[in-house]
């Protein structure tokens, strides 16, 4: 029964992750389109077969079978419909840019809320408070539990959240004497020996809670998270493109698609809420950032078209633009299929270790 419950939890975790990514993104497009009085034909979460639908004020709202996609169909964006008075292309350039950018902005806001909300539940001024204990590792075998507070390591007081990690790496293979207090106030003293694998990365198997002393610190962490995450994403892409990562973009440590993301999410579910929430927040930023790239069929590519039209003061041929966008979508789908195939290979060979 426990195995079944674990699989159900993983399924809910993966489905919830895609829902948290897709629904706000499409909701951002939808809300801003409504603000600028653009006719919205359909607002759909998911793709494929309709599981539920309703029509209200001329808009079809639908939930579809496959949660990895979603879309907002607006008037004026299909052949023979470009001149619609309430269509997308009838609006001013700034309005169209706002509609297109609203999806990625919604993803960034979701990441901020996730990190801030979780941080508010973790307020503490204890740099040694244990948030996670890995089963089978030295700390767990020594009897350490979530909620314990490590006060000293080899007689040195724990003054910062990174102190325990520093001591682990400073004494590879050497026993550490930890003293602290259990949640009930009972003191403890245990001796644990860090496991070093690979050399230079030593762990006793505990995760220490972030040190957030005020509400303000939690809010600041949440607000700054998308900017920090984008910096890390850009750095990672630069390493992939620059050949610093073996195999490049499509290698074992290369781009990850929906299948790989699902597998990583499943692993994060088993690692507990902190890991899962951080992963979903990171993926939300990644989705927003990716959609702002100036590529055909993405929001960023469409924004570039609007900006060029604005500068040249006349529109492109709408049928030609639509065809280019369709070819761009086909190229993205082919790339997604290739990455998905590689994800399956990585999972089967045990090479899928993270998100890049």
């Amino acid at each position: 029964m426990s195995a079944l419950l674990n699989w159900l939890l993983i399924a809910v975790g993966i489905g919830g992750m895609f829902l948290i990514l897709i629904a706000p993104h499409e909701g951002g497009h939808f809300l801003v389109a409504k603000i600028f009085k653009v006719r919205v034909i359909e607002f759909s979460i998911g793709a494929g077969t309709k599981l539920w639908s309703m029509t209200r004020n001329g808009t079809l709202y639908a939930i579809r079978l496959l949660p990895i996609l979603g879309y907002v169909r607006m008037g004026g964006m299909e052949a023979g419909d470009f001149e619609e008075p309430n269509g997308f292309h009838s609006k001013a350039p700034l309005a169209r840019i706002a509609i297109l950018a609203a999806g990625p902005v919604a993803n960034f806001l979701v990441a901020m809320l996730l990190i801030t909300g979780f941080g508010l539940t973790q307020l503490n001024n204890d740099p040694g408070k244990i948030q996670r204990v890995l089963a089978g590792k030295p700390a767990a075998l020594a009897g350490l539990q979530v909620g314990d507070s490590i006060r000293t390591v080899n007689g040195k007081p724990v003054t910062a959240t990174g102190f325990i990690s520093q001591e682990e790496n400073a004494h590879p293979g050497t026993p550490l004497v930890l003293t602290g207090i259990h949640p009930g106030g009972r003191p403890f003293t245990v001796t644990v020996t860090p496991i070093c694998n690979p050399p230079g990365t030593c762990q006793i198997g505990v995760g220490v809670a972030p040190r957030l002393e005020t509400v303000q610190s939690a809010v600041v962490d949440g607000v700054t998270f998308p900017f920090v995450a984008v910096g890390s994403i850009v750095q990672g892409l630069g390493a992939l493109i620059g050949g610093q990562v073996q195999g490049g973009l499509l290698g074992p440590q290369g781009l990850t698609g929906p299948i790989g993301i699902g597998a990583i999410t499943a692993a994060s579910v088993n690692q507990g809420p902190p890991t899962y929430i951080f992963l979903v927040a990171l993926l939300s930023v990644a989705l927003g950032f990716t959609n702002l790239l100036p590529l055909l069929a993405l929001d960023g590519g469409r924004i570039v078209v609007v900006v060029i039209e604005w500068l040249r003061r006349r529109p492109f041929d709408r049928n030609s633009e639509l065809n280019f966008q369709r070819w761009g979508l086909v190229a993205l789908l082919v790339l997604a299929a290739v990455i998905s195939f590689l994800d399956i290979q990585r999972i089967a060979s045990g090479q899928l270790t993270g998100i890049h």
Side-chain angles (χ1 to χ4, degrees):
M1 182 61 71
S2 60
L4 177 59
L5 289 175
N6 186 56
W7 280 108
L8 288 174
L9 183 62
I10 289 174
V12 171
I14 293 174
M17 177 270 296
F18 280 117
L19 184 64
I20 293 171
L21 298 183
I22 300 300
H25 182 96
E26 301 304 333
H29 291 314
F30 171 80
L31 178 61
V32 178
K34 285 290 189 179
I35 290 174
F36 286 107
K37 301 187 185 305
V38 174
R39 183 171 73 92
V40 178
I41 301 169
E42 181 177 351
F43 174 42
S44 179
I45 302 301
T49 305
K50 281 191 290 188
L51 301 178
W52 171 88
S53 67
M54 64 171 285
T55 301
R56 186 173 182 179
N57 297 328
T59 300
L60 173 67
Y61 299 85
I63 296 176
R64 298 179 179 271
L65 181 62
L66 301 176
I68 62 174
L69 297 172
Y71 55 88
V72 175
R73 285 181 58 207
M74 289 176 277
M77 298 190 73
E78 298 176 359
D81 190 32
F82 297 129
E83 304 302 323
E84 180 179 340
N86 291 324
F88 175 80
H89 291 295
S90 71
K91 303 302 176 181
L94 282 177
R96 284 181 280 161
I97 291 172
I99 293 169
L100 293 169
V105 169
N107 288 128
F108 297 147
L109 290 175
V110 166
M112 291 180 184
L113 290 173
L114 285 172
I115 296 301
T116 299
F118 182 74
L120 291 174
T121 69
Q122 303 295 309
L123 292 178
N124 79 92
N125 59 3
D126 183 352
K129 183 178 179 180
I130 297 178
Q131 184 182 62
R132 185 172 69 254
V133 178
L134 301 181
K137 300 300 182 181
L141 297 176
L144 294 181
Q145 302 173 359
V146 172
D148 287 349
S149 175
I150 299 175
R151 299 298 176 86
T152 69
V153 179
N154 286 347
K156 301 175 185 177
V158 178
T159 57
T161 53
F163 180 82
I164 297 174
S165 177
Q166 293 174 5
E167 290 298 304
E168 289 171 335
N169 289 315
H171 302 85
T174 302
L176 302 177
V177 178
L178 311 178
T179 66
I181 299 175
H182 291 300
R186 182 168 51 90
F188 67 81
T189 299
V190 297
T191 301
V192 294
T193 302
I195 296 176
C196 300
N197 187 16
T201 304
C202 301
Q203 297 179 343
I204 61 172
V206 297
V208 178
R211 187 174 184 177
L212 298 173
E213 299 185 6
T214 66
V215 171
Q216 181 181 359
S217 62
V219 173
V220 169
D221 283 352
V223 171
T224 58
F225 178 80
F227 303 98
V228 175
V230 167
S232 297
I233 292 169
V234 171
Q235 184 178 11
L237 286 174
L240 286 171
I241 295 172
Q244 298 171 8
V245 177
Q246 185 177 6
L249 290 172
L250 300 180
Q253 305 298 317
L255 297 176
T256 305
I259 293 177
I261 290 172
I264 294 169
T265 303
S268 75
V269 170
N270 290 325
Q271 293 173 17
T275 302
Y276 178 78
I277 292 172
F278 176 81
L279 175 63
V280 174
L282 179 62
L283 291 174
S284 190
V285 173
L287 178 61
F289 172 76
T290 301
N291 268 277
L292 286 176
L293 295 177
L295 301 176
L296 288 174
L298 295 179
D299 296 325
R302 294 181 183 276
I303 289 173
V304 169
V305 170
V306 175
V307 170
I308 293 175
E309 286 185 345
W310 192 5
L311 294 175
R312 72 200 295 256
R313 300 189 176 184
R314 67 179 188 277
F316 290 106
D317 177 78
R318 296 299 179 208
N319 285 305
S320 297
E321 179 194 347
L322 181 61
N323 287 332
F324 274 112
Q325 296 289 2
R326 284 174 174 170
W327 280 111
L329 178 60
V330 170
L332 287 176
L333 291 175
V334 170
L335 178 61
V338 171
I339 294 175
S340 296
F341 175 75
L342 294 175
D343 280 342
I344 294 173
Q345 286 187 321
R346 293 164 184 161
I347 293 170
S349 63
Q351 293 180 319
L352 189 66
T353 57
I355 293 180
H356 307 277

